[in-house]
Amino acid sequence: MKRKTILVLGAGYGGLSTVVNLQKSLGTDDADVILINKNEYHYESTWLHEAAAGTLSAEQVRYDIKSVVSEPKVKFIQATVEAIDVKGKVVTTDVGTHTYDYLVIGLGFEGETFGIPGLDKYALAMANVKSARQIREHIEYQFATWSLEEVKDDSRLTIVVGGAGFSGIELLGELGNRVPELCEEFDVPAEKVRVLCIEAAPMVLPGFDPELVDYAVRQLNSKGIEFSIGTPVVEATPEGVNIKKGEDEFEFIKAGTVIWAAGVRGNRLIEESGIENMRARVKVEKDLRAPGHDDVFIVGDCALMINEEVNRPFPPTAQIAMQQGDMCANNIIALLKGEPTSEFVPDLKGSICSLGDDDAIGVAFGKKLTGKKASFMKKMVDNRALFLIGGLGLVMKKGKFNVLK
Amino acid sequence: MKRKTILVLGAGYGGLSTVVNLQKSLGTDDADVILINKNEYHYESTWLHEAAAGTLSAEQVRYDIKSVVSEPKVKFIQATVEAIDVKGKVVTTDVGTHTYDYLVIGLGFEGETFGIPGLDKYALAMANVKSARQIREHIEYQFATWSLEEVKDDSRLTIVVGGAGFSGIELLGELGNRVPELCEEFDVPAEKVRVLCIEAAPMVLPGFDPELVDYAVRQLNSKGIEFSIGTPVVEATPEGVNIKKGEDEFEFIKAGTVIWAAGVRGNRLIEESGIENMRARVKVEKDLRAPGHDDVFIVGDCALMINEEVNRPFPPTAQIAMQQGDMCANNIIALLKGEPTSEFVPDLKGSICSLGDDDAIGVAFGKKLTGKKASFMKKMVDNRALFLIGGLGLVMKKGKFNVLK
């Protein structure tokens, strides 16, 4: 019997977790495991707000894939996936094609701008480690230029963050801590800097406990961050954003930096693959397979699962993605052995939203947390993700330990 | 008898050296010494190429003026000089006016673009610590953006340095070392980066020994730097520079970064003051006073002195500026005592042009030096400047010691 080929697309939390679990459980001769990823590194997409604000370097939020997967058990190929043909069972990349017996799609999210004019062109996004790094450099360049120019354009020092969801708030938290450093470094008086959060919905952090949300807004306010809630961005221009404040009331906010952190969707390759999807996310079967495609698993941000308790989709988190990778590996091994697959049930340990290096809000093990305790838990969550993928060695190399000081 | 007021404009090498020498020699009640400077810090204008390339931070190339001058002997006022009235003996700043009995003008150089269209608008300059810092941030932003963008514009990675004089070459030396770091940091393949030096004159480093110049060009070539000599820049645009390669032959070089390092002049306030000058530099008397103005001394880049041995002006160097500050202080003290002033004679200890952190060329104590020896000497020169102004404490804080490793 010919050895089966397991092809895993994407080395995010879902894909990489699948691969390291296969690597643990399979013998060298049990199957061919191939991992394809655009970059030679994995990046912590839950840490991008830190790279964007500049509180961590791009290097600190990524690590070499080869440091956690290894030949001969797993073959890693650095390539960009261009098309997925689930009928012909072949994946096309920029450096060649690959057939498979089992396919795991872990291609992650893309930004969603909801057709708002100008956003794709003039707003920056925390879509990946390179775009986060560009945000940092963009802000630093604006500060350096303001400091130098004779006729000062104060709007260079205005940073608009679109979106008061998880990503937006975590970014604002980092900016709250980073701006005073930037002022010091670039000789900018703090009172010249404005950081604004613009949100279309009438609330901050939907889904979070209102008491925790109040705390977050208060803390961010105390760091000088302004909120404009229930005011959709209607257009972005090279100069800033236009927001809708009432029926016929608009306000233009001149800003040197506009960061869009208000929407994600699945990967467009899914839409093009012919797999049934909603905004590029696939409502997966209970064992994580795509409906009608018994050899295709979907993990991570492209997998849509309904939380029946609240009749809403589970959020696309690293926690769930890694649990899915674990179960996906189990189920592929079951299929290889001719055994039945198991049902994936998320084990929600809680959710913590960082408000900078020293503050956070969240719920963990059923308890509401704020401040240093929540921040400590957040770092433990980040370190745990490293541990699950790369063991203690990776935690020591990339983990967050400043809490211990 | 009323105490005399000595007003010193500018805390560069010349002005600060004047003040610290006055501070050493004068008693508290001998005179009122007032130092006016735009920033609260002094910066090492001979280190700006390092801040521009990013091999040193802006913070490393500057220090607080108050760390070297102190009340009650010297009153430091942070203000921008707006006008010098040598007839009315009054200096106007953005925060008030000051009369004086003796005036010391140490206002430093300004960039000179020789009327070449577009240069003032589209080229960056190493005019001060803020503009050097902007160059660094500009280059980093270009690299970050190239790394991110889908359709790559390789000209973002082209850096044009206009000028193969001292400043241009020192900057190229730093860039030669910095570019590989930038490639690593921003995931840019080294072969995509171009660093070009464009020089109108038919030679590199005029005034330097040809053997040393050959060495410098060879070393910079080996770091991938290209030279185009005898080819004037005729225009700068937002896209790059147009250079003249022959009678009717022009070449447009598309470049994301253009740095103009090809000309300096004196300060324009001198031109407006009515003091006789040539391109804002004053041909000073032998005791450093301005002709026809017995109460006005000029030190540093705005003081023009002819080296009679070669019948050319002495170059505007930190070495000479600090010696002038020393003599200026002596001569003011002599005038206070009713004694005759002394003649200033530069003591030229040599000149070393850095080619990056690990290489240099130059002549010191009559000997030609290259490579690590020259680089060591250069750092000793830099540390000596710190010592002369702020003593051993300042050397320990800001000195260059990596040679000792």
Side-chain angles (χ1 to χ4, degrees), chain B residues 52-63:
Chain B
T55 44
L56 287 182
S57 73
E59 205 44 46
Q60 283 171 295
V61 307
R62 65 181 177 185
Y63 53 82

Side-chain angles (χ1 to χ4, degrees), chain A residues 194-354:
Chain A
R194 276 186 86 188
V195 181
L196 290 94
C197 176
I198 313 291
E199 169 61 53
M203 72 186 74
V204 169
L205 281 175
F208 263 76
D209 178 281
E211 203 184 330
L212 294 176
V213 173
D214 278 355
Y215 174 89
V217 171
R218 219 162 46 234
Q219 292 294 90
L220 294 175
N221 277 338
S222 78
K223 290 177 181 178
I225 291 158
E226 306 164 47
F227 284 86
S228 176
I229 301 299
T231 51
V233 171
V234 292
E235 192 190 3
T237 77
E239 305 279 292
V241 290
N242 202 5
I243 66 173
K244 186 171 177 175
K245 301 201 85 169
E247 194 54 47
D248 290 303
E249 199 191 339
F250 296 87
E251 184 186 346
F252 187 78
I253 299 172
K254 208 160 176 269
T257 304
V258 176
I259 304 163
W260 188 244
V264 295
R265 67 198 307 283
N267 196 289
R268 64 193 64 237
L269 291 171
I270 298 229
E271 291 171 312
E272 295 161 8
S273 73
I275 302 172
E276 197 187 325
N277 69 84
M278 296 162 63
R279 297 162 69 90
R281 300 181 76 192
V282 178
K283 200 166 167 237
V284 289
E285 304 287 358
K286 290 200 185 303
D287 65 359
L288 297 173
R289 283 190 277 187
H293 301 279
D294 275 358
D295 48 6
V296 179
F297 289 81
I298 319 266
V299 294
D301 300 336
C302 296
L304 185 66
M305 298 185 64
I306 301 299
N307 182 346
E308 281 163 7
E309 273 181 47
V310 293
N311 201 29
R312 281 217 316 247
F314 284 108
T317 66
Q319 188 184 137
I320 291 178
M322 284 189 296
Q323 291 174 9
Q324 288 174 334
D326 195 353
M327 177 57 79
C328 177
N330 284 350
N331 282 346
I332 288 172
I333 290 166
L335 292 173
L336 289 174
K337 293 182 182 164
E339 292 171 4
T341 59
S342 306
E343 181 180 340
F344 173 68
V345 182
D347 173 17
L348 300 179
K349 295 182 197 305
S351 176
I352 300 176
C353 177
S354 144

Side-chain angles (χ1 to χ4, degrees), chain A residues 38 40-41 62 128 130-131 133-134 137-138 140-141 144-145 147-148 150 184-187, chain B residues 38 40-41 62 124 128 130-131 133-134 137-138 140-141 144-145 147-148 150 184-187:
Chain A
K38 190 177 176 178
E40 79 276 16
Y41 53 82
R62 65 182 176 185
N128 55 51
K130 289 181 177 177
S131 59
R133 182 170 63 189
Q134 195 206 30
E137 295 300 336
H138 180 90
E140 291 184 4
Y141 181 60
T145 302
S147 190
L148 172 66
E150 295 248 329
E184 175 80 19
E185 188 179 343
F186 292 99
D187 307 294
Chain B
K38 190 177 176 178
E40 79 275 18
Y41 53 83
R62 65 181 177 185
L124 307 172
N128 55 52
K130 289 181 177 177
S131 60
R133 182 169 65 189
Q134 194 207 30
E137 295 298 337
H138 180 89
E140 291 184 3
Y141 182 60
T145 302
S147 189
L148 172 66
E150 296 251 328
E184 174 80 18
E185 188 179 342
F186 291 99
D187 308 293

Side-chain angles (χ1 to χ4, degrees), chain B residues 266-284:
Chain B
N267 195 289
R268 64 194 62 238
L269 290 171
I270 298 226
E271 292 172 309
E272 295 161 8
S273 73
I275 301 172
E276 197 186 325
N277 68 85
M278 297 162 63
R279 296 160 69 88
R281 301 181 75 193
V282 178
K283 198 163 171 246
V284 290

Side-chain angles (χ1 to χ4, degrees), chain B residues 35-154:
Chain B
L35 171 64
I36 295 181
N37 194 59
K38 190 177 176 178
N39 306 303
E40 79 275 18
Y41 53 83
H42 162 90
Y43 59 85
E44 304 289 335
S45 59
T46 62
W47 304 11
L48 290 180
H49 56 289
E50 294 167 89
T55 44
L56 287 182
S57 73
E59 205 44 46
Q60 283 171 295
V61 307
R62 65 181 177 185
Y63 53 82
D64 277 352
I65 290 165
K66 290 208 168 162
S67 71
V68 293
V69 305
S70 49
E71 309 233 12
K73 278 199 179 173
V74 177
K75 185 173 179 193
F76 168 59
I77 297 170
Q78 188 184 343
T80 302
V81 177
E82 292 177 341
I84 301 166
D85 174 3
V86 288
K87 282 197 190 113
K89 298 196 180 199
V90 58
V91 168
T92 307
T93 76
D94 58 345
V95 294
T97 58
H98 296 271
T99 55
Y100 61 82
D101 295 292
Y102 295 106
L103 179 67
V104 180
I105 302 178
L107 287 172
F109 71 92
E110 291 182 359
E112 171 68 274
T113 54
F114 307 109
I116 300 168
L119 271 185
D120 53 347
K121 213 165 157 188
Y122 304 119
L124 307 172
M126 292 191 295
N128 55 52
V129 74
K130 289 181 177 177
S131 60
R133 182 169 65 189
Q134 194 207 30
I135 291 172
R136 174 197 188 144
E137 295 298 337
H138 180 89
I139 293 172
E140 291 184 3
Y141 182 60
Q142 293 288 346
F143 275 61
T145 302
W146 183 91
S147 189
L148 172 66
E149 65 194 355
E150 296 251 328
V151 182
K152 307 238 178 261
D153 174 2
D154 289 353

